[in-house]
Amino acid sequence: MSLTVIKLGSSVVVDDGGRLRRDLLAALCATVAARHREGERFVLVSSGAIARGIEELGLPGRPTTIDALQAASAVGQGRLFRSWDDLFAAESLIAAQVLLTLYDLGDREAFVNARRTLAKLVELRAVPVINENDTTTTEEISFGDNDLLAAQVAMMLGADRLVLLTSTDGLFSADPRQDPTAELVREIHDVEQALADNDVGTTTSSLGTGGMRSKALAADMAAAAGIPTVVASGLRPEALARVLAGEDEGTRFVAGDARWSSFKLWLRYAKPARGTIDVDDGARRALSRDDTSLLPVGVTGVTGDFQVGDAVDVRCGGDLVAKGISGYASGALRLVMGERTERIRELLPQAPAEAVHRDRLVVL
């Protein structure tokens, strides 16, 4: 059984006025249903709640304040899912509404619970329709856009494929709306090189967030888990059918072997860092080459206010070296940084030997 995560941007779900593209979405649902009957399984990540709320409330455009965005989401989210529910019911499929926040993925227990729930829904032949819970989220705890949410959901579930549907045919060498000579890039093996070689921006519709750069970054995240990604047009229903059939459509981001375990993927991409630990060159070499734990003796500086169990970035000379789960609170680590184990035992008898244990560390 293969599992595909499909993300639909606001420009696919609604038109420029915030009105639902019902006929288009019905065609997309029919495509999903046909593959579903053949044994494939799907999870949808759908934007459009805020845009639907803007249209229902008669607002002149996308609000700029958090409270207004949350109000628009509160109005639009139920209407959006009701539409998905009706569209899938017409294809004899059951849709399940799932709202997530960054906290749900950043907390390990909540992450595991969300994964179990989604996996069970898929097992029961339902189609989860996921969106960020914009009504309660804030700028500080937001995914930023649903491309990154979709990538994290794909990694969470170990999906076989990630499809990002947008208003263009894929990633172009430049913005095709501004440069008529822009060419579609068919296949990408190295996201960083692709971003350097092509004029990839963050331009998006007036009702959405993100842009092609965020899709490339989402594809890079998925690639770390060994998940290939396709960016294609959601405005042409046949494009999705071609992608699901494995045909040449859109831009394909090739994924190699998975680099990290599920836990380290979660740590790297889902759990937000609450501070920074600076280390010396010796600690950097030990982390990068020898797969060791980070000891307090190699710590040269501590930035931020974090607790035991929080994620921290590990840097050396300004370079990001690793990310890990701190075994110390920031204040305690400042007290013992640069000290050897014997001295640490005198200062803090109950302190752990490692500032960050190697099993809770991902080297970048």
Side-chain angles (χ1 to χ4, degrees):
M1 179 188 74
S2 67
L3 175 64
T4 299
V5 174
I6 301 174
K7 181 262 180 178
L8 300 97
S10 294
S11 59
V12 175
V13 176
V14 300
D15 62 21
D16 290 341
R19 293 174 293 273
L20 195 75
R21 298 185 191 268
R22 182 171 289 275
D23 290 345
L24 175 66
L25 299 186
L28 294 174
C29 286
T31 297
V32 168
R35 307 290 299 197
H36 194 279
R37 286 190 289 271
E38 295 176 5
E40 296 184 36
R41 296 295 177 262
F42 296 89
V43 172
L44 263 61
V45 177
S46 174
S47 300
I50 290 176
R52 289 290 294 116
I54 291 170
E55 195 267 339
E56 290 288 336
L57 291 169
L59 302 179
R62 184 180 176 88
T64 58
T65 62
I66 292 294
D67 57 348
L69 288 168
Q70 290 174 330
S73 176
V75 171
Q77 184 59 56
R79 289 165 172 78
L80 176 64
F81 178 72
R82 186 166 65 238
S83 297
W84 281 118
D85 194 30
D86 291 342
L87 290 167
F88 277 117
E91 298 291 340
S92 300
L93 288 178
I94 296 174
Q97 183 178 38
V98 180
L99 299 177
L100 294 174
T101 66
L102 191 60
Y103 170 81
D104 297 319
L105 301 190
D107 177 82
R108 184 62 182 173
E109 183 176 359
F111 173 92
V112 171
N113 286 337
R115 181 173 62 190
R116 287 173 177 165
T117 299
L118 288 170
K120 178 57 70 173
L121 285 169
V122 171
E123 178 188 330
L124 294 173
R125 302 172 58 84
V127 180
V129 179
I130 301 173
N131 196 1
E132 183 169 10
N133 191 357
D134 294 309
T135 301
T136 59
T137 195
T138 64
E139 193 171 14
E140 291 75 17
I141 59 170
S142 171
F143 292 101
D145 62 74
N146 276 345
D147 296 320
L148 303 182
L149 172 57
Q152 293 197 10
V153 168
M155 292 188 295
M156 173 195 291
L157 295 175
D160 298 285
R161 177 169 48 191
L162 172 63
V163 180
L164 303 175
L165 296 181
T166 184
S167 57
T168 64
D169 288 325
L171 185 146
F172 283 79
S173 57
D175 189 339
R177 293 170 294 188
Q178 301 177 9
D179 184 351
T181 67
E183 297 182 351
L184 179 65
V185 181
R186 286 293 185 184
E187 189 168 271
I188 293 175
H189 291 263
D190 185 327
V191 170
E192 287 189 11
Q193 190 61 49
L195 291 176
D197 292 344
N198 300 284
D199 183 15
V200 180
T202 59
T203 304
T204 183
S205 72
S206 61
L207 293 174
T209 61
M212 194 54 66
R213 180 172 291 273
S214 77
K215 290 167 180 57
L217 295 177
D220 198 32
M221 289 170 56
I227 302 170
T229 300
V230 176
V231 177
S233 173
L235 300 182
R236 294 186 293 107
E238 68 273 14
L240 176 60
R242 287 172 54 81
V243 170
L244 297 181
E247 298 178 22
D248 188 17
E249 181 70 41
T251 300
R252 182 171 183 264
F253 293 79
V254 179
D257 296 332
R259 301 202 300 264
W260 294 313
S261 67
S262 173
F263 172 81
K264 291 194 173 183
L265 285 168
W266 166 78
L267 173 59
R268 173 67 179 92
Y269 291 110
K271 189 168 179 63
R274 300 300 184 190
T276 301
I277 297 176
D278 292 300
V279 301
D280 58 28
D281 289 333
R284 178 178 188 166
R285 286 193 297 272
L287 294 175
S288 301
R289 300 178 186 176
D290 303 329
D291 190 31
T292 64
S293 299
L294 173 61
L295 304 180
V297 67
V299 176
T300 61
V302 177
T303 304
D305 182 14
F306 53 86
Q307 302 300 317
V308 174
D310 283 343
V312 291
D313 288 331
V314 180
R315 293 185 175 272
C316 180
D319 296 331
L320 183 61
V321 176
K323 185 179 179 183
I325 304 295
S326 181
Y328 282 77
S330 53
L333 187 55
R334 289 188 182 96
L335 179 64
V336 301
M337 67 181 190
E339 301 287 356
R340 296 191 175 277
T341 302
E342 297 79 7
R343 177 58 176 161
I344 293 173
R345 290 284 179 264
E346 295 176 5
L347 295 171
L348 298 173
Q350 303 302 317
E354 306 88 2
V356 181
H357 194 279
R358 66 180 182 180
D359 291 342
R360 310 183 85 189
L361 181 86
V362 56
V363 178
L364 305 176

